[in-house]
Amino acid sequence: MGAKTWMLVYSKGNPVEILMGSPALDRDATIALAKRLFVSERLEPLGDGDLSSTCPADDVLVVGCFPGLTVVAAKEFGIDYPSRLPAKFLEAMPGHGVYLHAMHSVVDWFAYAVWADGKLQRSLSLSPDSGVLEDIGERQSFEAPYWDGEHPAVDSEEDAADYPFVFHPLDMGEAALLSLFGYQLEGMIDPTHLQPESIPLMRFKRRKSWWRFGWRGK
């Protein structure tokens, strides 16, 4: 299946520290936030998921509110240009840093962005087919070894000449997960790192609400 994500994380502190502290899921707050962010939809509860699966289908929403941190995974966050994230998501939780992480193994695409105090600090989006779609702001420290060629995407110089990057986007995507949130989905997993299956998230079926105004049956 490969690694896939499309999620936002809101955090009042260091997300790694908060998640490593095994925070308790606040189900009432989770339901309230889901309804507020997706007010035009009917949300029907599904069985719980967890942080290892933040790539829900188009008709599914995944949300978890914890003390100081919230995770929201939805189709709206799998976007080529993270800097264009709709304002309603950026403004949903004042006083929180906002992090977007998205990757899709089928097309080897990875994107992430970080906002602080409502201002974009970093946005990167790239794939072999499309090249660099967005590269805004100062590179984060976890990026450096990849841009410096320390994790080559291919083994031979001949293959390297045909590959557009000196690293594989999904490898950087995993590094971003580890640096920003303390866990990985694939690759060499360190058992001392956060196990994403330990962080429960609520899942909802998304259905459009149909309202008819100004109509009366005859």
Side-chain angles (χ1 to χ4, degrees):
M1 179 177 173
K4 301 174 186 174
T5 66
W6 28 92
M7 68 174 180
L8 285 186
V9 173
Y10 301 91
S11 182
K12 277 192 171 181
N14 185 325
V16 177
E17 294 177 359
I18 295 173
L19 289 169
M20 287 294 290
S22 301
L25 176 64
D26 186 332
R27 293 184 178 273
D28 289 341
T30 297
I31 294 170
L33 178 67
K35 290 181 177 179
R36 178 160 61 88
L37 287 180
F38 299 88
V39 67
S40 65
E41 301 182 24
R42 290 186 293 115
L43 302 179
E44 301 174 3
L46 297 171
D48 280 0
D50 58 60
L51 195 57
S52 70
S53 182
T54 53
C55 56
D58 289 356
D59 61 348
V60 174
L61 175 66
V62 177
V63 188
C65 290
F66 307 88
L69 182 142
T70 293
V71 178
V72 184
K75 63 181 179 180
E76 284 82 355
F77 311 136
I79 52 178
D80 288 338
Y81 299 90
S83 67
R84 302 177 188 176
L85 181 71
K88 75 170 186 177
F89 295 116
L90 286 176
E91 299 167 357
M93 303 196 70
H96 290 65
V98 183
Y99 305 80
L100 182 149
H101 189 284
M103 60 183 181
H104 200 308
S105 58
V106 174
V107 292
D108 292 343
W109 166 71
F110 162 61
Y112 90 104
V114 179
W115 291 263
D117 298 323
K119 297 181 180 179
L120 182 67
Q121 306 296 306
R122 175 65 171 144
S123 179
L124 176 68
S125 176
L126 71 171
S127 73
D129 290 338
S130 301
V132 177
L133 295 163
E134 194 159 79
D135 186 357
I136 301 171
E138 185 176 348
R139 291 174 179 174
Q140 302 250 323
S141 59
F142 74 83
E143 297 182 47
Y146 293 88
W147 293 111
D148 292 343
E150 296 179 23
H151 301 283
V154 294
D155 296 327
S156 70
E157 292 185 7
E158 181 179 351
D159 290 337
D162 297 327
Y163 198 78
F165 308 123
V166 294
F167 60 87
H168 197 288
L170 295 183
D171 290 343
M172 184 185 278
E174 292 288 344
L177 283 175
L178 183 60
S179 177
L180 299 175
F181 313 119
Y183 72 96
Q184 291 178 274
L185 294 175
E186 294 191 342
M188 297 293 292
I189 306 298
D190 186 331
T192 65
H193 293 160
L194 175 71
Q195 303 302 303
E197 296 85 357
S198 70
I199 305 297
L201 301 172
M202 296 182 71
R203 298 169 63 247
F204 303 89
K205 187 76 171 180
R206 306 173 59 171
R207 300 185 189 280
K208 288 294 183 183
S209 292
W210 296 98
W211 298 94
R212 301 179 69 182
F213 297 100
W215 177 89
R216 292 183 181 179
K218 299 292 187 182

